[in-house]
Amino acid sequence: MIISYYDFQNLTDRQAQYDFVLAHGHIISERTVSQLRYVLYEVSNFSVELIYDITNDKINGMNLFENKSHYK
């Protein structure tokens, strides 16, 4: 499913954003540091990094990256 960077930011809440990434994103890379797992997803023309708390088995945060190379 294609969604713009700005439409993604305007989803109703964080949980809706998490759900969209998990349903439609493609994993690019992942790494584990201490008790956190960082998973980078490609979603349409931008990337989303979800930060998982391994100890509590939950999403702890999110970083959003607009891929500028897409517009060249």
Side-chain angles (χ1 to χ4, degrees):
M1 174 177 221
I2 296 174
I3 187 172
S4 75
Y5 175 84
Y6 300 104
D7 287 341
F8 179 81
Q9 286 183 312
N10 290 323
L11 289 175
T12 55
D13 59 15
R14 266 308 162 141
Q15 189 60 51
Q17 291 174 335
Y18 296 156
D19 293 343
F20 190 90
V21 170
L22 295 173
H24 302 288
H26 302 287
I27 295 176
I28 297 172
S29 68
E30 61 182 280
R31 65 188 168 101
T32 302
V33 178
S34 189
Q35 297 301 314
L36 298 176
R37 186 173 65 144
Y38 298 83
V39 182
L40 185 63
Y41 294 86
E42 179 183 35
V43 180
S44 297
N45 61 349
F46 57 95
S47 301
V48 178
E49 180 181 58
L50 294 183
I51 304 165
Y52 295 92
D53 180 339
I54 297 170
T55 306
N56 297 316
D57 194 29
K58 68 175 192 166
I59 298 173
N60 197 29
M62 179 178 73
N63 295 310
L64 186 58
F65 306 99
E66 186 174 12
N67 294 342
K68 299 287 186 182
S69 64
H70 176 75
Y71 301 105
K72 289 184 179 181

XYZ file of all heavy atoms in Angstrom:
608
model
N 0.839 -1.177 0.000
C 0.000 0.000 0.000
C 0.889 1.246 0.000
O 1.844 1.312 0.756
C -0.906 -0.011 1.222
C -1.719 1.233 1.381
S -2.815 1.103 2.794
C -4.244 1.841 2.098
N 0.571 2.202 -0.831
C 1.351 3.426 -0.924
C 0.704 4.522 -0.072
O -0.508 4.733 -0.134
C 1.464 3.894 -2.386
C 2.227 2.852 -3.197
C 2.145 5.244 -2.472
C 2.289 3.132 -4.663
N 1.535 5.170 0.716
C 1.102 6.289 1.547
C 2.239 7.310 1.530
O 3.411 6.924 1.497
C 0.771 5.833 2.990
C 0.167 6.959 3.812
C 1.991 5.257 3.667
C -0.360 6.516 5.181
N 1.893 8.571 1.542
C 2.943 9.584 1.537
C 3.518 9.754 2.945
O 2.879 9.404 3.945
C 2.410 10.920 1.021
O 1.618 11.559 2.006
N 4.691 10.325 2.988
C 5.369 10.629 4.255
C 4.460 11.486 5.144
O 4.316 11.225 6.334
C 6.670 11.359 3.909
C 7.471 11.879 5.071
C 8.349 11.053 5.750
C 7.375 13.210 5.466
C 9.111 11.534 6.796
C 8.139 13.696 6.516
C 9.004 12.863 7.177
O 9.757 13.340 8.210
N 3.824 12.477 4.549
C 2.986 13.402 5.319
C 1.668 12.771 5.747
O 1.189 13.016 6.848
C 2.765 14.682 4.520
C 4.079 15.365 4.225
C 4.658 15.298 2.972
C 4.786 16.012 5.242
C 5.893 15.875 2.723
C 6.021 16.590 5.001
C 6.563 16.524 3.744
O 7.783 17.081 3.511
N 1.084 11.930 4.893
C -0.136 11.223 5.285
C 0.154 10.259 6.436
O -0.657 10.095 7.343
C -0.742 10.471 4.106
C -1.388 11.392 3.092
O -1.704 12.554 3.441
O -1.570 10.955 1.936
N 1.327 9.627 6.388
C 1.714 8.733 7.472
C 1.815 9.505 8.788
O 1.322 9.070 9.815
C 3.046 8.046 7.161
C 3.516 7.118 8.245
C 3.005 5.838 8.335
C 4.457 7.525 9.184
C 3.433 4.972 9.341
C 4.884 6.673 10.181
C 4.369 5.393 10.262
N 2.447 10.685 8.743
C 2.578 11.508 9.952
C 1.217 11.931 10.488
O 1.071 12.152 11.686
C 3.404 12.760 9.666
C 4.875 12.488 9.515
C 5.657 13.766 9.319
O 5.300 14.601 8.515
N 6.732 13.895 10.075
N 0.226 12.034 9.610
C -1.101 12.498 10.017
C -2.065 11.371 10.371
O -3.256 11.635 10.576
C -1.707 13.378 8.919
C -0.990 14.704 8.808
O -0.572 15.282 9.809
N -0.828 15.181 7.591
N -1.581 10.134 10.445
C -2.451 9.051 10.922
C -2.912 9.383 12.335
O -2.249 10.130 13.066
C -1.718 7.710 10.885
C -1.462 7.125 9.498
C -0.618 5.864 9.598
C -2.773 6.828 8.790
N -4.019 8.821 12.740
C -4.692 9.221 13.975
C -3.833 9.211 15.232
O -3.978 10.087 16.067
C -5.938 8.341 14.208
O -5.532 6.968 14.196
C -6.977 8.587 13.143
N -2.950 8.237 15.389
C -2.106 8.186 16.586
C -0.901 7.284 16.346
O -0.748 6.701 15.281
C -2.900 7.717 17.810
C -3.509 6.332 17.645
O -3.118 5.581 16.727
O -4.392 5.988 18.442
N -0.028 7.185 17.329
C 1.180 6.353 17.217
C 0.840 4.900 16.936
O 1.510 4.248 16.148
C 1.986 6.402 18.515
C 3.075 7.375 18.649
C 4.078 7.360 17.536
N 4.764 8.617 17.633
C 6.030 8.817 17.440
N 6.794 7.838 17.049
N 6.550 9.985 17.581
N -0.174 4.386 17.604
C -0.533 2.980 17.416
C -0.933 2.716 15.970
O -0.578 1.691 15.401
C -1.647 2.561 18.369
C -1.907 1.068 18.371
C -0.681 0.253 18.776
O -0.064 0.508 19.797
N -0.323 -0.736 17.962
N -1.645 3.647 15.350
C -2.032 3.497 13.938
C -0.792 3.492 13.053
O -0.716 2.736 12.068
C -2.977 4.614 13.526
N 0.202 4.303 13.397
C 1.455 4.329 12.644
C 2.200 3.000 12.804
O 2.680 2.428 11.822
C 2.331 5.492 13.096
C 1.765 6.845 12.714
C 2.568 7.991 13.290
O 3.254 7.853 14.307
N 2.476 9.142 12.642
N 2.308 2.509 14.037
C 2.961 1.221 14.286
C 2.277 0.116 13.481
O 2.933 -0.696 12.830
C 2.919 0.846 15.761
C 3.670 1.737 16.707
C 3.305 1.786 18.049
C 4.741 2.524 16.304
C 3.998 2.591 18.954
C 5.427 3.329 17.198
C 5.048 3.361 18.517
O 5.720 4.158 19.409
N 0.948 0.086 13.541
C 0.185 -0.952 12.851
C 0.411 -0.894 11.340
O 0.557 -1.937 10.691
C -1.309 -0.825 13.159
C -1.639 -1.136 14.604
O -0.808 -1.759 15.298
O -2.740 -0.741 15.056
N 0.458 0.317 10.789
C 0.679 0.474 9.353
C 2.051 -0.056 8.964
O 2.191 -0.781 7.971
C 0.532 1.943 8.935
C 0.513 2.114 7.447
C -0.676 2.083 6.756
C 1.691 2.268 6.733
C -0.702 2.203 5.369
C 1.680 2.394 5.356
C 0.482 2.359 4.663
N 3.065 0.299 9.731
C 4.433 -0.164 9.441
C 4.503 -1.682 9.496
O 5.067 -2.323 8.603
C 5.452 0.457 10.417
C 6.821 -0.193 10.274
C 5.554 1.962 10.204
N 3.942 -2.264 10.517
C 3.999 -3.718 10.664
C 3.220 -4.438 9.568
O 3.613 -5.528 9.136
C 3.490 -4.123 12.051
C 4.361 -3.634 13.212
C 3.687 -3.931 14.542
C 5.749 -4.251 13.154
N 2.142 -3.845 9.084
C 1.327 -4.475 8.043
C 1.885 -4.263 6.643
O 1.775 -5.150 5.796
C -0.102 -3.932 8.119
N 2.506 -3.096 6.386
C 2.877 -2.745 5.019
C 4.366 -2.494 4.796
O 4.794 -2.330 3.657
C 2.092 -1.508 4.567
C 0.618 -1.689 4.644
N -0.083 -2.489 3.767
C -0.299 -1.205 5.511
C -1.363 -2.467 4.087
N -1.519 -1.698 5.151
N 5.144 -2.443 5.873
C 6.570 -2.165 5.732
C 7.376 -3.406 5.388
O 6.953 -4.539 5.643
N 8.531 -3.166 4.784
C 9.467 -4.244 4.447
C 10.757 -4.003 5.229
O 11.336 -2.921 5.160
C 9.772 -4.258 2.951
C 8.546 -4.419 2.108
N 7.871 -5.607 2.000
C 7.857 -3.523 1.362
C 6.828 -5.452 1.208
N 6.790 -4.182 0.810
N 11.202 -5.006 5.963
C 12.406 -4.860 6.788
C 13.629 -4.676 5.894
O 13.859 -5.453 4.971
C 12.602 -6.083 7.704
C 11.464 -6.166 8.720
C 13.949 -6.002 8.424
C 11.507 -7.393 9.611
N 14.384 -3.609 6.200
C 15.630 -3.326 5.494
C 16.809 -3.843 6.308
O 17.715 -4.477 5.779
C 15.798 -1.811 5.258
C 14.689 -1.290 4.363
C 17.163 -1.503 4.658
C 14.673 0.218 4.228
N 16.797 -3.550 7.603
C 17.872 -4.018 8.479
C 17.399 -4.009 9.919
O 16.382 -3.400 10.250
C 19.122 -3.145 8.328
O 18.882 -1.858 8.840
N 18.169 -4.692 10.752
C 17.891 -4.671 12.185
C 19.185 -4.900 12.952
O 20.126 -5.506 12.445
C 16.820 -5.679 12.572
C 17.118 -7.115 12.301
C 15.944 -7.997 12.696
O 15.801 -8.291 13.890
O 15.187 -8.385 11.794
N 19.198 -4.356 14.169
C 20.364 -4.523 15.046
C 19.876 -4.483 16.488
O 18.826 -3.918 16.796
C 21.408 -3.463 14.792
C 20.955 -2.059 15.119
C 21.968 -1.017 14.654
N 21.384 0.298 14.734
C 21.607 1.167 15.711
N 22.415 0.850 16.708
N 21.048 2.360 15.704
N 20.653 -5.076 17.361
C 20.323 -5.098 18.780
C 21.450 -4.436 19.553
O 22.629 -4.743 19.343
C 20.131 -6.552 19.271
O 19.097 -7.156 18.487
C 19.763 -6.593 20.735
N 21.072 -3.517 20.434
C 22.016 -2.825 21.301
C 21.445 -2.896 22.708
O 20.354 -2.392 22.958
C 22.205 -1.345 20.878
C 23.145 -0.637 21.822
C 22.687 -1.243 19.447
N 22.200 -3.554 23.581
C 21.758 -3.734 24.960
C 20.398 -4.424 24.957
O 20.265 -5.504 24.412
C 21.729 -2.389 25.683
O 21.512 -2.566 27.052
N 19.380 -3.812 25.531
C 18.045 -4.430 25.601
C 17.079 -3.868 24.560
O 15.869 -4.054 24.671
C 17.458 -4.256 27.005
C 18.257 -4.951 28.087
C 18.359 -6.452 27.847
O 17.376 -7.111 27.528
N 19.555 -6.993 27.982
N 17.615 -3.181 23.548
C 16.772 -2.603 22.502
C 17.101 -3.213 21.144
O 18.254 -3.454 20.819
C 16.972 -1.080 22.432
C 16.606 -0.291 23.679
C 16.955 1.175 23.490
C 15.127 -0.447 24.010
N 16.062 -3.438 20.370
C 16.230 -3.932 19.003
C 15.704 -2.853 18.058
O 14.566 -2.397 18.190
C 15.469 -5.230 18.780
C 15.752 -5.846 17.419
C 15.134 -7.200 17.305
N 13.682 -7.038 17.352
C 12.829 -7.758 16.655
N 13.247 -8.732 15.907
N 11.547 -7.537 16.737
N 16.538 -2.422 17.122
C 16.194 -1.390 16.154
C 15.913 -2.071 14.822
O 16.777 -2.760 14.285
C 17.348 -0.404 15.990
C 17.686 0.340 17.249
C 18.512 -0.222 18.218
C 17.181 1.610 17.480
C 18.826 0.461 19.384
C 17.491 2.312 18.639
C 18.314 1.722 19.583
O 18.621 2.406 20.738
N 14.711 -1.873 14.297
C 14.338 -2.491 13.029
C 13.946 -1.381 12.058
O 13.057 -0.585 12.339
C 13.166 -3.482 13.196
C 12.834 -4.153 11.881
C 13.485 -4.521 14.264
N 14.641 -1.336 10.913
C 14.396 -0.316 9.899
C 13.502 -0.903 8.811
O 13.817 -1.953 8.242
C 15.713 0.165 9.303
C 15.632 1.318 8.315
C 15.087 2.582 8.985
C 16.997 1.585 7.719
N 12.377 -0.233 8.552
C 11.405 -0.671 7.567
C 11.343 0.324 6.412
O 11.421 1.540 6.628
C 9.994 -0.729 8.170
C 9.805 -1.765 9.231
C 10.118 -1.492 10.561
C 9.277 -3.014 8.928
C 9.925 -2.442 11.560
C 9.075 -3.968 9.924
C 9.401 -3.673 11.227
O 9.199 -4.608 12.202
N 11.173 -0.173 5.214
C 10.873 0.677 4.064
C 9.355 0.705 3.924
O 8.707 -0.344 3.881
C 11.501 0.096 2.803
C 11.198 0.916 1.562
C 11.779 0.273 0.318
O 11.798 -0.964 0.237
O 12.222 1.021 -0.542
N 8.808 1.914 3.878
C 7.366 2.095 3.727
C 7.161 3.124 2.625
O 7.539 4.278 2.785
C 6.721 2.605 5.030
C 5.217 2.788 4.851
C 7.003 1.669 6.190
N 6.585 2.720 1.499
C 6.397 3.618 0.348
C 7.723 4.287 0.002
O 8.688 3.609 -0.278
C 5.296 4.637 0.629
O 4.062 3.995 0.826
N 7.782 5.621 0.083
C 9.001 6.343 -0.284
C 9.722 6.935 0.923
O 10.427 7.922 0.801
C 8.665 7.449 -1.288
C 7.698 8.460 -0.719
O 7.123 8.241 0.343
N 7.507 9.561 -1.406
N 9.557 6.317 2.087
C 10.231 6.766 3.305
C 10.568 5.547 4.154
O 10.174 4.428 3.841
C 9.379 7.778 4.084
C 8.015 7.278 4.475
C 7.803 6.728 5.731
C 6.943 7.366 3.598
C 6.555 6.264 6.096
C 5.688 6.909 3.962
C 5.487 6.352 5.215
N 11.330 5.784 5.220
C 11.743 4.689 6.104
C 11.294 4.977 7.531
O 11.227 6.132 7.950
C 13.268 4.547 6.091
O 13.713 4.285 4.793
N 11.016 3.918 8.248
C 10.599 4.020 9.635
C 11.435 3.046 10.455
O 11.568 1.874 10.097
C 9.099 3.673 9.806
C 8.687 3.734 11.266
C 8.226 4.587 8.959
N 12.001 3.541 11.538
C 12.754 2.700 12.466
C 11.904 2.505 13.706
O 11.536 3.473 14.366
C 14.071 3.371 12.833
C 14.904 2.557 13.791
C 16.190 3.269 14.157
O 16.101 4.404 14.688
O 17.261 2.709 13.907
N 11.551 1.259 13.987
C 10.843 0.941 15.223
C 11.856 0.440 16.238
O 12.746 -0.341 15.904
C 9.767 -0.115 14.992
C 8.595 0.296 14.096
C 7.577 -0.838 14.023
C 7.932 1.569 14.571
N 11.711 0.900 17.462
C 12.624 0.523 18.542
C 11.848 -0.356 19.508
O 10.858 0.080 20.104
C 13.164 1.778 19.251
C 13.827 2.701 18.234
C 14.132 1.374 20.361
C 14.071 4.103 18.745
N 12.287 -1.595 19.615
C 11.612 -2.575 20.462
C 12.371 -2.735 21.778
O 13.590 -2.890 21.782
C 11.558 -3.944 19.779
C 10.728 -3.983 18.533
C 11.303 -3.763 17.286
C 9.366 -4.255 18.590
C 10.542 -3.811 16.129
C 8.598 -4.312 17.438
C 9.198 -4.086 16.215
O 8.441 -4.134 15.067
N 11.655 -2.733 22.865
C 12.200 -3.039 24.180
C 12.114 -4.553 24.334
O 11.020 -5.113 24.490
C 11.387 -2.327 25.262
C 11.894 -2.584 26.657
O 12.599 -3.590 26.887
O 11.584 -1.770 27.544
N 13.244 -5.219 24.249
C 13.279 -6.677 24.286
C 12.796 -7.212 25.631
O 12.074 -8.202 25.701
C 14.708 -7.191 23.982
C 15.114 -6.784 22.566
C 14.794 -8.695 24.156
C 16.582 -7.026 22.262
N 13.182 -6.545 26.706
C 12.825 -6.993 28.049
C 11.318 -7.011 28.268
O 10.771 -7.964 28.813
C 13.483 -6.087 29.112
O 14.883 -6.042 28.871
C 13.224 -6.607 30.510
N 10.636 -5.941 27.838
C 9.189 -5.824 28.062
C 8.357 -6.237 26.861
O 7.126 -6.155 26.904
C 8.843 -4.384 28.466
C 9.495 -4.010 29.772
O 9.492 -4.777 30.720
N 10.084 -2.828 29.822
N 9.022 -6.651 25.774
C 8.347 -7.108 24.560
C 7.307 -6.099 24.067
O 6.132 -6.424 23.903
C 7.698 -8.472 24.789
C 7.285 -9.124 23.477
O 7.929 -8.867 22.448
O 6.287 -9.873 23.490
N 7.783 -4.849 23.852
C 6.874 -3.822 23.340
C 7.668 -2.812 22.510
O 8.892 -2.723 22.609
C 6.138 -3.110 24.464
C 7.017 -2.248 25.333
C 6.202 -1.487 26.349
C 7.081 -0.419 26.991
N 6.321 0.551 27.720
N 6.951 -2.056 21.690
C 7.583 -0.995 20.909
C 7.838 0.178 21.837
O 6.950 0.639 22.542
C 6.704 -0.581 19.715
C 6.508 -1.760 18.767
C 7.335 0.610 18.983
C 5.525 -1.492 17.638
N 9.075 0.636 21.835
C 9.504 1.683 22.759
C 9.583 3.058 22.095
O 9.612 4.068 22.759
C 10.870 1.300 23.337
C 11.220 2.057 24.572
O 10.353 2.458 25.325
N 12.503 2.273 24.783
N 9.642 3.096 20.761
C 9.752 4.363 20.063
C 9.823 4.180 18.566
O 9.817 3.057 18.053
N 9.872 5.324 17.873
C 9.878 5.291 16.420
C 10.636 6.499 15.891
O 10.540 7.597 16.436
C 8.434 5.331 15.905
C 8.311 5.327 14.411
S 6.599 5.302 13.859
C 6.092 6.967 14.252
N 11.395 6.284 14.826
C 12.057 7.367 14.094
C 11.591 7.299 12.651
O 11.475 6.210 12.080
C 13.584 7.232 14.150
C 14.105 7.405 15.555
O 13.774 8.361 16.235
N 14.908 6.458 15.996
N 11.342 8.446 12.064
C 10.814 8.540 10.712
C 11.824 9.264 9.835
O 12.351 10.305 10.229
C 9.491 9.309 10.764
C 8.647 9.454 9.524
C 8.268 8.096 8.957
C 7.395 10.246 9.861
N 12.124 8.691 8.656
C 13.125 9.253 7.757
C 12.527 9.445 6.371
O 12.038 8.485 5.768
C 14.343 8.335 7.648
C 14.952 7.992 8.963
C 14.665 6.776 9.568
C 15.794 8.873 9.614
C 15.231 6.436 10.789
C 16.363 8.544 10.841
C 16.081 7.328 11.436
N 12.585 10.673 5.872
C 12.136 10.942 4.505
C 13.306 10.646 3.585
O 14.396 11.183 3.753
C 11.716 12.402 4.385
C 11.104 12.741 3.079
C 10.568 14.159 3.040
O 10.850 14.953 3.930
O 9.855 14.460 2.072
N 13.090 9.769 2.599
C 14.158 9.374 1.682
C 14.245 10.390 0.554
O 13.453 10.359 -0.388
C 13.884 7.974 1.113
C 13.935 6.916 2.174
O 14.486 7.119 3.257
N 13.358 5.777 1.894
N 15.207 11.264 0.628
C 15.367 12.324 -0.375
C 15.765 11.770 -1.735
O 15.423 12.340 -2.746
C 16.435 13.338 0.090
C 16.090 14.021 1.376
C 14.990 15.021 1.180
C 14.781 15.791 2.469
N 13.724 16.738 2.402
N 16.477 10.652 -1.785
C 16.944 10.108 -3.061
C 15.783 9.696 -3.961
O 15.918 9.597 -5.169
C 17.864 8.924 -2.820
O 17.163 7.880 -2.194
N 14.613 9.461 -3.387
C 13.438 9.067 -4.142
C 13.024 10.161 -5.131
O 12.434 9.893 -6.156
C 12.288 8.762 -3.184
C 10.999 8.439 -3.882
N 10.778 7.240 -4.497
C 9.873 9.175 -4.084
C 9.569 7.231 -5.026
N 9.002 8.396 -4.788
N 13.351 11.404 -4.825
C 12.889 12.532 -5.639
C 13.859 12.928 -6.730
O 13.625 13.872 -7.447
C 12.597 13.734 -4.733
C 11.558 13.408 -3.701
C 11.907 13.194 -2.379
C 10.227 13.265 -4.058
C 10.960 12.870 -1.441
C 9.271 12.927 -3.132
C 9.639 12.741 -1.827
O 8.694 12.404 -0.893
N 14.992 12.281 -6.866
C 15.987 12.646 -7.887
C 15.569 12.210 -9.269
O 14.821 11.351 -9.486
C 17.352 12.045 -7.539
C 17.958 12.722 -6.352
C 19.338 12.150 -6.123
C 19.972 12.857 -4.939
N 21.297 12.388 -4.677
